[in-house]
Amino acid sequence: MSEETATRTTHLVCDPEELRRMFLFEKLNDEQLARLCAEGRIEYIEPGPVYREGDPATCFYVLMDGEVRLTKLSGGTEIELTRTDHTGSYAGAWTAYLGDKAEQNYSGSMYVTRKSRFYVLDAGAFSGMMHDWFPMAVHLLEGAFFGNRSAHERVAERERLLALGSLSAGLTHELNNPAAAAVRATSGLRERVAGMRHKLAMMADGRFQPDMLLTLVRLQEEAAAQVAKAPELTPMEAADREDAVGDWLEQHDIADGWALAPNFVQAGLDVDWLERVQGTLEGCPEKVFEGAVRWLNYTIETELLMNEIADSTTRISTLVDAAKQYSQMDRAPFQVVDLHELLDSTLVMLNRKLGEGVRVVKEYDRTLPPVPCYAAELNQVWTNLIDNAVYAMRGEGTLTLRTGRDDDCAFVEIGDTGPGIPEDIRRRIFEPFFTTKPVGEGTGLGLDISFRIVVNKHDGDIRVDSEPGNTRFTVRIPLQRRNESEQPLSPPNP
């Protein structure tokens, strides 16, 4: 029910002296009170809604007798902010004095719980009185309103830039490691290929019979294939096998056999395989046998180095893909996405900040359907929550990411094993500029921004439960977009 259709009785007598007894009007003179009565009206309103959150703000209400409830939407649910029968309580279009400089919609909803009497003033009349009677106050209020909003926007932008800088530094560090590994492996590969060319020239000078050379090439292919399927060994197992291979090579007069042994073991080749190589080259001079072993070692090394290059470049590609997923580069702002992909990309971006002391536990519900959302902005929410969790744990503890379905919503729960949030602080953590971090380490806007993204942009909900050793932030996002006029893009077909 809107205010236009609410049951109400008008044309009641307005008594200036009754208005004077209200704290809001007690300082006005007779002329001002007379104008209030002339331009305003007294109404009785029956129980029910008076106005709804988001509707155009057309009236300013002052309670004279009765009781009202003021509510605000949170995650699609109306939360009662206050319930009062205090004479003189006011609500409605109280920011009308800003005119077209600000959006003039009701910021919450008002309900009457029993038949109540109000002084009602149209928004335009209220604005005119404010400018006529309190010009200095209006300027001060405008300055405070827009100054706070501007400060909030600037600090919020700085918060985003600081987060971006931190993530960029972390990404640069993460990219540098595999890139440096690829450069080192490429340099090593060049040296090994040069060595193979040298050994090939020695093998081609007639020291190897053609059939023996063919056998050696077959062994070379076998060694290369074995590298790809080499077993994973524990450090103890690897050390024992390296001792055995090193001893065998030394016993067969292979110079620096201990330096070659780790390569053969890493490739999954053991003493039995080397015995077969020796049997194939039986009767050859010792130098020919040593050359064959080194030739096979070069083959193994080149395969290992190429694997290292492949792993490094794959890591780089994975990081770049994660960065694109995190930033939603080249993608529509609003789309249908898998929340797990967003969470995983955020973890990759924050990997350096997590460090070795934080254990990450993923409890993903893989049956969760894709969710319509502003993906890049949700990534900012995950970043804020994970960053706070890591800070709370001081880099030591367990970070748990859990997903699931709760009725018509998907939920993401981010938990940490930090000391918890005291109850008196818990009530304020979503307030703008409130922070428990030392001066210079936090702006107090991370959770405020997260709240706005989840609640205002997604019609969702964010809440916290905390006790020592177990703090959980739960974000709920509707599985169906409530604003049907906004059509998200579906994810591309694989």
Side-chain angles (χ1 to χ4, degrees), residues 334 483-489:
F334 189 70
N483 182 4
E484 296 300 331
S485 64
E486 188 161 25
Q487 295 298 323
L489 295 179

Side-chain angles (χ1 to χ4, degrees), residues 225-434:
Q226 181 61 34
V227 172
K229 55 184 179 181
E232 290 285 339
L233 301 176
T234 66
M236 184 66 71
E237 291 172 334
D240 290 343
R241 294 193 183 191
E242 287 173 15
D243 288 342
V245 171
D247 288 342
W248 189 92
L249 292 173
E250 290 289 335
Q251 291 168 6
H252 290 78
D253 299 323
I254 305 296
D256 300 323
W258 293 103
L260 304 182
N263 293 330
F264 284 98
V265 171
Q266 191 175 351
L269 303 174
D270 54 16
V271 170
D272 290 341
W273 189 83
L274 290 171
E275 293 280 2
R276 282 204 295 124
V277 174
Q278 184 188 34
T280 301
L281 300 176
E282 190 174 0
C284 293
E286 290 183 0
K287 288 295 182 183
V288 172
F289 174 63
E290 181 177 357
V293 170
R294 294 191 182 280
W295 163 262
L296 293 173
N297 179 64
Y298 281 134
T299 298
I300 294 167
E301 284 189 310
T302 56
E303 290 296 321
L304 293 173
L305 289 169
M306 285 190 290
N307 284 349
E308 186 174 349
I309 293 171
D311 290 342
S312 298
T313 53
T314 298
R315 174 62 177 163
I316 291 172
S317 179
T318 300
L319 287 167
V320 171
D321 286 344
K324 290 179 67 177
Q325 175 68 261
Y326 180 84
S327 65
Q328 294 295 297
M329 187 185 303
D330 301 327
R331 303 186 186 187
F334 189 70
Q335 55 185 300
V336 177
V337 298
D338 183 345
L339 289 180
H340 305 115
E341 293 181 358
L342 303 185
L343 290 167
D344 287 342
S345 69
T346 303
L347 287 174
V348 170
M349 296 295 288
L350 291 173
N351 184 63
R352 186 186 182 196
K353 183 168 287 190
L354 293 176
E356 297 181 357
V358 175
R359 184 172 72 98
V360 178
V361 175
K362 298 179 184 179
E363 298 178 3
Y364 290 170
D365 179 0
R366 293 296 184 178
T367 65
L368 196 64
V371 177
C373 64
Y374 294 92
E377 296 192 42
L378 278 188
N379 280 337
Q380 188 176 1
V381 174
W382 314 144
T383 299
N384 291 337
L385 296 180
I386 293 173
D387 185 60
N388 285 347
V390 174
Y391 180 86
M393 293 187 290
R394 297 296 190 269
E396 296 285 341
T398 300
L399 176 73
T400 302
L401 277 63
R402 189 165 70 92
T403 64
R405 182 167 184 164
D406 183 8
D407 293 331
D408 60 346
C409 289
F411 73 80
V412 174
E413 183 182 279
I414 297 177
D416 67 71
T417 55
I421 306 172
E423 186 174 354
D424 58 330
I425 294 177
R426 209 178 310 158
R427 299 170 181 171
R428 301 189 58 198
I429 58 175
F430 293 107
E431 292 180 11
F433 305 109
F434 177 79

Side-chain angles (χ1 to χ4, degrees), residues 136-147:
M136 181 177 175
V138 166
H139 286 304
L140 290 172
L141 287 169
E142 285 181 350
F145 181 87
F146 291 111

Side-chain angles (χ1 to χ4, degrees), residues 55-111:
D55 288 346
T58 58
C59 293
F60 178 71
Y61 295 87
V62 182
L63 180 65
M64 302 180 76
D65 295 301
E67 184 181 62
V68 297
R69 291 176 57 239
L70 299 179
T71 69
K72 191 166 183 63
L73 288 172
S74 176
T77 302
E78 278 192 295
I79 306 300
E80 183 175 300
L81 302 178
T82 186
R83 181 188 293 255
T84 181
D85 59 1
H86 184 69
T87 299
S89 298
Y90 59 89
W94 67 273
T95 59
Y97 68 90
L98 295 170
D100 58 6
K101 297 177 184 177
E103 191 177 73
Q104 294 297 327
N105 294 325
Y106 291 118
S107 59
S109 301
M110 185 170 81
Y111 296 84

Side-chain angles (χ1 to χ4, degrees), residues 453-470:
I453 290 172
V454 172
V455 177
N456 296 347
K457 297 209 70 168
H458 291 87
D459 297 323
D461 180 48
I462 179 171
R463 61 189 63 180
V464 60
D465 297 290
S466 183
E467 59 186 30
N470 183 19

